[in-house]
Amino acid sequence: MNGFSFGGTNLLMNLLASHPDITMLSGETHEVFFSKPNNKIIDKAIRRFFYLPVRIASGQHFFGKWCYEERNNIPGLLRHYIDLIFYIDKINNSNNEFKSEGVKYTASEIRNSRFFTKNMNGVVFACRRLAEIYPDATFISLVRNGFALCEGYVRRGWNAEKVGKMYNDVCQKMIHDSQTITNYHIVRFENMVSDPINFMKAVYNLAGLDIDKVSKVRLQAKRSMDKDGTRRYTFGGSKDRETHWFDIQELDNFVRKDVNDNQADMLSPQDRNAFIEQARKSMEYFGYL
């Protein structure tokens, strides 16, 4: 899956990972090689050591989240190396425990599963090379109204103009790849939250997944924004990413439909103008203007 940090990818990830034939890597794609921010130093050191061959052979930060350039061709041996790293990460990921509520994966099922990963921001520019490693892969890119996305970044200290450039660069890459890479699809955050059940069916169809194998949908608790700017949990609430399982028919009750408008309304006129100066091309393409 391709998308933006703070762009709603967690929900799409959980919809896909609810399928018993899907397992996940230990983090977003770049985190497989760089580790997560709060992980121990030793974990970061080990992962970055194994990233060195990729960095040296590709001549760039191939899995760099903030590297917004097309990735170079990579030799065949490096493709096998990357595939091996992903495979080892998948089978050792402790989060690949339950394939449905209360039902655990067997080791064999994990080995033979399709793995899912999230390419965030600059890693979207690696898709052409990943398609060469995995010619049978399905690529699903999630786009979202840029004003709502920009609010999430500005709230965290980003400059709106910088967000606009990043948004436009990544969106244009998604558009180009959707026209040139086999089995590459762009879907919208707005469709996901307005009608999550039918959206899930459509995405499963794109990915060749049988929705009849899913008895319950796995969701993780995350805070989202109310109209007054307050961020609260729709369900759960004791901690972020707390896992809950719901019947598919209940899904509509646990997905916030107003979050886009609520976030966009919090963006100042000055930040809107600064953002749109950079992102107008993509915002118009996707009908957000």
Side-chain angles (χ1 to χ4, degrees):
M1 182 179 69
N2 303 312
F4 299 91
S5 297
F6 322 125
T9 58
N10 182 267
L11 176 56
L12 180 52
M13 174 194 76
N14 278 283
L15 295 180
L16 287 165
S18 298
H19 195 282
D21 294 344
I22 299 294
T23 53
M24 299 184 294
L25 299 185
S26 60
E28 295 169 358
T29 311
H30 66 280
E31 292 173 338
V32 173
F33 297 94
F34 292 95
S35 189
K36 296 182 178 182
N38 296 326
N39 282 5
K40 295 180 179 180
I41 293 177
I42 186 63
D43 181 75
K44 294 179 180 179
I46 292 172
R47 289 177 183 270
R48 293 179 188 191
F49 173 79
F50 284 104
Y51 177 61
L52 277 176
V54 181
R55 175 70 177 87
I56 294 170
S58 66
Q60 61 188 162
H61 275 299
F62 193 89
F63 290 110
K65 183 179 178 181
W66 310 117
C67 178
Y68 300 103
E69 61 184 29
E70 187 66 47
R71 299 315 195 251
N72 298 330
N73 286 317
I74 54 176
L77 186 61
L78 184 61
R79 295 179 190 180
H80 291 298
Y81 177 80
I82 290 171
D83 180 43
L84 178 62
I85 293 295
F86 285 157
Y87 177 76
I88 292 172
D89 189 84
K90 177 186 77 169
I91 64 175
N92 288 293
N93 180 14
S94 60
N95 291 322
N96 290 329
E97 184 177 9
F98 294 100
K99 62 180 180 180
S100 59
E101 188 177 29
V103 181
K104 292 187 176 183
Y105 285 102
T106 65
S108 175
E109 287 173 332
I110 293 175
R111 288 194 301 270
N112 294 316
S113 66
R114 295 174 65 180
F115 82 82
F116 168 89
T117 189
K118 291 202 299 181
N119 301 324
M120 296 290 94
N121 297 14
V123 186
V124 172
F125 287 78
C127 285
R128 181 160 300 281
R129 303 308 165 209
L130 292 173
E132 292 169 352
I133 300 173
Y134 303 106
D136 59 345
T138 299
F139 294 87
I140 298 176
S141 289
L142 183 69
V143 296
R144 183 181 183 181
N145 187 315
F147 290 135
L149 185 76
C150 184
E151 187 281 330
Y153 278 90
V154 169
R155 176 162 30 95
R156 293 169 172 87
W158 278 56
N159 174 280
E161 184 177 3
K162 181 180 178 182
V163 181
K165 185 178 188 313
M166 179 269 289
Y167 179 86
N168 192 65
D169 288 348
V170 175
C171 282
Q172 290 302 307
K173 176 60 176 168
M174 290 176 173
I175 294 166
H176 179 268
D177 283 352
S178 71
Q179 297 167 349
T180 58
I181 295 178
T182 302
N183 211 14
Y184 189 113
H185 312 279
I186 298 177
V187 297
R188 295 172 183 262
F189 174 87
E190 293 77 18
N191 294 339
M192 179 170 64
V193 297
S194 65
D195 189 0
I197 297 174
N198 283 322
F199 177 88
M200 182 177 177
K201 291 177 180 178
V203 169
Y204 271 42
N205 185 58
L206 293 175
L209 296 170
D210 183 0
I211 200 166
D212 290 335
K213 288 187 175 182
V214 179
S215 55
K216 288 193 173 184
V217 178
R218 191 192 79 164
L219 296 180
Q220 292 176 313
K222 291 193 74 177
R223 290 179 295 173
S224 57
M225 187 172 288
D226 284 334
K227 196 170 185 62
D228 63 0
T230 304
R231 299 179 69 241
R232 66 174 177 84
Y233 292 101
T234 307
F235 59 88
S238 62
K239 61 180 181 179
D240 264 8
R241 302 185 187 278
E242 181 181 78
T243 301
H244 297 260
W245 294 84
F246 301 105
D247 290 334
I248 291 180
Q249 298 307 316
E250 295 181 289
L251 185 57
D252 202 57
N253 300 326
F254 299 102
V255 177
R256 295 282 301 273
K257 304 186 184 307
D258 59 353
V259 62
N260 246 9
D261 290 339
N262 294 343
Q263 285 192 244
D265 288 347
M266 290 293 165
L267 197 64
S268 71
Q270 294 84 357
D271 284 336
R272 279 176 173 258
N273 290 335
F275 173 83
I276 208 61
E277 282 183 9
Q278 298 293 326
R280 180 176 296 277
K281 183 177 181 180
S282 295
M283 290 283 281
E284 289 181 344
Y285 180 90
F286 290 115
Y288 295 131
L289 288 179

